[in-house]
Structure formats: C-alpha cells, structure tokens
Amino acid sequence: MSVLVLVLAVCAACCLGFGFVLQQNAAERAPLGDFLSPRLLLDLVRVPRWLAGMGLMVAGMMLGAVALGGGELTLVEPILATNLLFALALSRVRTRQPLGRQGWAGLALLAGGVSAFILAGEPRGGSAVTDPLRHWLIVGVMLGLALLLTLCAGRFRLTWGPTLLALAAGLVYGVQDALTRISGRRFSAGGPAELLTGWQPYAVVVLGITGLVLIQSAFETAPLRRSLPALTAAQPLAGIACGVGFLGDRLHTGPAALAWEAGGLAAVVAGIVLLGMHPAMPQGTGDSGRERELERR
C-alpha cells in the first residue's frame, strides 16, 4: 500500500465529511418545490455555507481522484467511507454531544472493518476486463438500481425517501469513481488527447451532477442521519463491485481471506449505521413544518 495513496484518501474523506455537514445545513432550508430538480442547485448556489461545503466536496473528490490514480478502487473506496467519522467530528463540535458507547462502537467497527478488509484482501491491480458486455452489465445494473431507488423515493418522500435517494447517490458515485479511475488511466497512457477522445470523462461529469441533485434532495427533505449513512455505505460497495468486476482489481480469494473481507465490509456498514444514528448528527430544524408542506404536495 502506498503511503501517499493512504494519506490522499484520508484527506479526501475529511473534506467530504466536512462538506456534507455544511451542505445539509444549507439544503434543509431550500424550497421543497425543488425536490429532485436541477433548480435546487441554482437556489443553493446563492447560499455561502453551501458553497463552502461544495468547495470541500470538490476538493475531496479531486484528492480522491488523485488517490484513485495511484491506488486500486478496492483500496481507496473503503478509506473514503471514513468520511462519516469527520462528519461526526464536525457535528460534535456544533452539538457538544459526547461519543458515548454508541459512538465508540461505531468508530471501532468502521475503522476495524476497513482495516480487516484491506489487510485480508490486500487489494492490488491487474489487467482490466476487455469484455464490453461485462463492463456495461455491471454499470447498467448499478445505474438501473439507482434509477429504481429514485423512483421509489419520489413515492415515499415522508418516510424512506431520503434514505433511498442517498443509496441511489452512493451507487452513482461508486460508478463515477470507477470511470474516474479509467479516465486517469487514459490520461496516463496518452495525455489530454487520449482522455478527451473517450466517453468516460464526460460520463463522470454527468454522473457527478446527477449524484449531486440526488444527495442534495435527500439533504433537503430530512436530517443528515437519514441520508449520509446510506450514501457512505453504498458508494464503497458499488466501487468495489466495479473494481473487481471490470477494472481488474484483485483480492485474495481463499476461504479465510473471503471470510475476513466479508466480515470487514459488514463491520463497515454496521459502524456507518451506528455513527449515522449518533445523537451528535444534526437532526434538522423545523422538520414537522416541512413534512406538512410535503404532505400538501
């Protein structure tokens, strides 16, 4: 494992975590009529706190892209999932809530799960799969599931909508990370000319905007605890699936290694849920009034 890749991935997670907290704090005050509409971004762009959160998020994505250029997707994605730790840290400063047993347990599960997965799997690069059918099948399944979750979210905005949107955004961002990795390889192989003649960098931009609308709509309609855990859990799982599925990333596949890898991922998800439901996470303001407004729509 490259120390530089590790440092870049942790810094990216820090920027993402801080950025998500600032974005949600601004998005929860946006007009509900902008739900799942690009107009939401036009409204939010006038809010300084949201712009600060976006700046941190963009910095995190750029650091993550550099980390992906030097490390495997199956290595970087689990580390990026630790952005929830930094989101919780910023939230604790605002709420002054102690970690308590729940916080420490979530922290141990998330950090231990990431460590177990990386140590047991020892992610390493390999030859990318050249079969386009396999490539499009995996991407199609991820994006098709994201579309289905988004459609369901529109029907259940008062209950599961924010969580479903966050899951959809996580799947979209996972595919975006995979295409970012491919774009980095194209740039390394042939420079800007090779990069811009492929469809991947343009798809990265489209997926980035799509994921942004999805997650901001989730932030707009519910507290951070109902959206960020789902986003944080879905993105690395989708990224790992793409990495192993068609990018050529390799993991140890012995029975013991697979057991530790599966256990590590399960611990990551459990830690994310515990940290996401921690009392320090923002619970939103004026939720009952916003729910009544949604009910009238």
Side-chain angles (χ1 to χ4, degrees):
M1 185 194 312
S2 168
V3 175
L4 179 59
V5 170
L6 176 62
V7 171
L8 287 171
V10 171
C11 291
C14 177
C15 291
L16 290 171
F18 289 170
F20 286 143
V21 173
L22 295 177
Q23 287 174 42
Q24 194 277 331
N25 184 260
E28 68 178 1
R29 295 171 173 81
L32 287 172
D34 292 347
F35 182 77
L36 287 179
S37 169
R39 291 195 311 271
L40 175 59
L41 302 183
L42 296 178
D43 285 331
L44 290 173
V45 78
R46 296 193 290 267
V47 182
R49 181 168 296 187
W50 187 83
L51 288 176
M54 267 304 298
L56 286 169
M57 181 180 177
V58 170
M61 296 179 83
M62 292 178 64
L63 289 170
V66 176
L68 287 170
E72 286 66 49
L73 196 63
T74 47
L75 168 64
V76 175
E77 285 286 11
I79 299 174
L80 292 180
T82 61
N83 71 77
L84 195 61
L85 297 177
F86 297 99
L88 180 63
L90 180 57
S91 297
R92 281 192 64 221
V93 172
R94 299 175 58 204
T95 62
R96 301 185 184 278
Q97 286 276 356
L99 273 180
R101 293 181 180 178
Q102 179 179 343
W104 285 112
L107 190 154
L109 284 170
L110 179 54
V114 169
S115 300
F117 178 83
I118 292 175
L119 291 175
E122 293 185 17
R124 55 204 183 280
S127 300
V129 176
T130 56
D131 181 6
L133 178 61
R134 184 170 174 181
H135 183 124
W136 286 110
L137 179 62
I138 296 174
V139 172
V141 168
M142 295 294 174
L143 297 183
L145 183 55
L147 177 60
L148 178 62
L149 290 169
T150 302
L151 294 175
C152 292
R155 296 175 58 88
F156 302 103
R157 283 195 286 180
L158 290 177
T159 52
W160 291 97
T163 302
L164 295 177
L165 284 178
L167 286 171
L171 294 175
V172 169
Y173 283 140
V175 174
Q176 182 194 35
D177 289 341
L179 297 183
T180 299
R181 172 71 170 155
I182 295 176
S183 299
R185 289 178 176 177
R186 293 180 65 90
F187 182 81
S188 299
E194 179 71 15
L195 173 66
L196 296 177
T197 53
W199 59 270
Q200 291 88 353
Y202 308 102
V204 166
V205 175
V206 172
L207 291 176
I209 295 173
T210 301
L212 190 60
V213 172
L214 291 174
I215 197 58
Q216 298 305 321
S217 295
F219 288 166
E220 176 192 29
T221 52
L224 200 65
R225 62 172 59 190
R226 290 178 57 189
S227 54
L228 190 54
L231 170 69
T232 307
Q235 183 173 352
L237 296 179
I240 290 170
C242 291
V244 175
F246 60 82
L247 287 180
D249 288 5
R250 293 182 294 171
L251 300 168
H252 285 303
T253 55
L258 287 175
W260 277 102
E261 291 162 22
L265 290 178
V268 167
V269 173
I272 286 170
V273 171
L274 283 176
L275 291 174
M277 298 302 294
H278 193 277
M281 281 295 182
Q283 300 185 35
T285 57
D287 291 332
S288 58
R290 295 178 73 79
E291 288 183 359
R292 286 194 296 270
E293 184 177 343
L294 277 171
E295 287 173 344
R296 292 195 297 268
R297 294 181 180 275

